[in-house]
Amino acid sequence: MGQLDVNSLSKFWDDFTAVDNVSFTVKSGEFVALLGPSGCGKSTTLRMIAGLEMPDNGELFLNGLPITQMSPGQRGLTMVFQSYALFPHLTVQENILFGLQVRKVHREERQRRLKFAVELVDLGEHLHKKPSQLSGGQCQRVALARSIVSEAPLCLMDEPLSNLDAKLRGQMRTELRALQKKLGMTVLYVTHDQTEAMSMADTIILMNSGRIEQTGRPEQLYNQPETTFVAEFIGSPPMNLIDHGKTLTGIRPEHIHISSDSIPPSVHHTVTVVSCDYLGADTVVQVRLDNHFLLVRVPGHQPLASGRTLSISWKKQNELTFCSSRSQRIAPVQNLTFNNNHKAKEPENAA
Ligand code: ATP
């Protein structure tokens, strides 16, 4: 499997910067999610890596070899798209083997890889069906099997599960991650869904307006967001941000308790209930604190009437502090380590 190095990649559409000086590494056997809101440049980055768009700046290396000037076919990558890109007139088996036939891989070798991939993705009963006779999840498995048989060093995936319903998406997430681990595949996976990135990825690269906001393990982005953008994008419901003028206090909804008797040192406030959303395992309560609206996640069913006054508290140690003007975290940084070459910006007054 392969290591991908992306160095200072940029793409401009006339005077619009779609991708702005992006650098990262995907290590061999790693599952990296390229995450961000619609239009932030994820697909453009992936398409440049695949060779479907030419970068205006920057270089790409696969296993140390420069691939920037190579055609898509020469790069030896495989791609799984949101649309699956299956040939409707070919059977499942023909779709899976299409790339190997084009590359004139020997018949016995083709059959060996087909058997292996089909067993992994459990498509044995469907080999002679056409894509129109399959469910969305089965089509997705065909696209995956096609990637697996290619034995390419790097697999690029662009929102591959977004056409599936919520239940199947959850199931395919688990299957895909298990398969990636089992085969040691190197995967770069584009998604706008933070839950998908959090649950599947070894490393998340969070993009915003063409740039990388933060790179790190899911728990690093959740617990130690470097900017208010990361704090609000990662986590559902998002982190609360309380404006104090020059600084903002960040506090996660699950760190706020409805009661006044938390263990000191803690922060206490009196708030008014605005609304309650019961989600099954827990309830998200929106409360008003002066001019701010905060979200509080409490376990179980908590039917709190709107207008009711409550005491809330949280531990001081769970607060994060951000600079209002630059949106950067300014609280001391503890145990920050990154497992690729994107350098985290050190907050100005970090301890
Ligand atoms: P989404 O999740 O909606 O697919 P994305 O993060 O993948 O979004 P990109 O598709 O990479 O975003 O697009 C980044 C920006 O570049 C967008 O503003 C888009 O409109 C613009 N863009 C993409 N392709 C072109 C093109 N061929 N010509 C002009 N602008 C483009």
Side-chain angles (χ1 to χ4, degrees), residues 195-246:
T195 314
E196 200 156 278
M198 292 290 280
S199 62
M200 294 174 86
D202 297 306
T203 298
I204 297 176
I205 299 166
L206 178 55
M207 289 184 74
N208 177 23
S209 304
R211 306 185 68 129
I212 295 180
E213 281 277 330
Q214 187 170 350
T215 300
R217 294 191 304 276
E219 68 274 19
Q220 285 177 319
L221 269 69
Y222 191 79
N223 294 321
Q224 298 169 319
E226 288 172 15
T227 64
T228 51
F229 177 85
V230 182
E232 290 193 295
F233 197 87
I234 302 282
S236 178
M239 181 179 279
N240 295 294
L241 292 172
I242 306 166
D243 192 348
H244 304 292
K246 286 189 174 167

Side-chain angles (χ1 to χ4, degrees), residues 29 94 124 145 190 210 256-257 290 310 334:
E94 288 162 345
V190 161
I256 305 180
H257 305 284
D290 303 324
L310 288 179
Q334 290 165 1

Side-chain angles (χ1 to χ4, degrees), residues 77-304:
L77 307 165
T78 173
M79 264 193 99
V80 180
F81 298 93
Q82 181 177 351
S83 60
Y84 320 132
L86 302 181
F87 295 111
H89 60 289
L90 299 184
T91 63
V92 166
Q93 174 167 331
E94 288 162 345
N95 263 288
I96 295 173
L97 291 178
F98 184 80
L100 299 188
Q101 259 158 346
V102 170
R103 280 161 41 208
K104 300 201 179 352
V105 173
H106 197 269
R107 189 173 184 283
E108 275 138 41
E109 177 61 12
R110 288 201 308 258
Q111 289 307 315
R112 183 192 70 75
R113 293 195 201 177
L114 176 71
K115 186 169 178 293
F116 175 71
V118 161
E119 275 172 18
L120 272 178
V121 298
D122 197 15
L123 276 173
E125 291 170 27
H126 306 286
L127 284 181
H128 300 292
K129 288 185 182 169
K130 299 272 174 66
S132 60
Q133 297 170 290
L134 302 176
S135 69
Q138 287 162 343
C139 286
Q140 192 54 65
R141 288 199 184 97
V142 179
L144 273 175
R146 192 174 47 188
S147 249
I148 293 165
V149 295
S150 76
E151 296 186 355
L154 176 66
C155 180
L156 305 176
M157 300 194 180
D158 195 350
E159 309 254 12
L161 307 184
S162 56
N163 284 345
L164 307 178
D165 66 48
K167 190 173 173 213
L168 190 56
R169 201 159 59 228
Q171 188 187 325
M172 287 296 293
R173 265 182 213 158
T174 316
E175 285 182 18
L176 181 55
R177 179 62 165 144
L179 196 64
Q180 178 268 335
K181 279 188 177 165
K182 188 169 176 181
L183 297 179
M185 291 166 83
T186 311
V187 173
L188 182 60
Y189 186 102
V190 161
T191 180
H192 63 272
D193 180 346
Q194 60 96 26
T195 314
E196 200 156 278
M198 292 290 280
S199 62
M200 294 174 86
D202 297 306
T203 298
I204 297 176
I205 299 166
L206 178 55
M207 289 184 74
N208 177 23
S209 304
R211 306 185 68 129
I212 295 180
E213 281 277 330
Q214 187 170 350
T215 300
R217 294 191 304 276
E219 68 274 19
Q220 285 177 319
L221 269 69
Y222 191 79
N223 294 321
Q224 298 169 319
E226 288 172 15
T227 64
T228 51
F229 177 85
V230 182
E232 290 193 295
F233 197 87
I234 302 282
S236 178
M239 181 179 279
N240 295 294
L241 292 172
I242 306 166
D243 192 348
H244 304 292
K246 286 189 174 167
T247 61
L248 297 163
T249 295
I251 184 79
R252 289 271 174 214
E254 66 273 24
H255 288 149
I256 305 180
H257 305 284
I258 297 179
S259 87
S260 53
D261 53 0
S262 292
I263 311 151
S266 56
V267 179
H268 297 260
H269 289 289
T270 301
V271 295
T272 313
V273 175
V274 177
S275 62
C276 261
D277 276 339
Y278 173 52
L279 304 175
D282 45 28
T283 305
V284 176
V285 188
Q286 191 186 34
V287 298
R288 189 186 177 112
L289 168 63
D290 303 324
N291 292 328
H292 295 96
F293 290 95
L294 304 183
L295 295 172
V296 183
R297 186 195 278 274
V298 286
H301 188 202
Q302 301 270 356
L304 299 165

Side-chain angles (χ1 to χ4, degrees), residues 13 16 18 37-44 159:
W13 301 112
F16 176 74
S38 184
C40 72
K42 310 178 293 291
S43 296
T44 306
E159 309 254 12

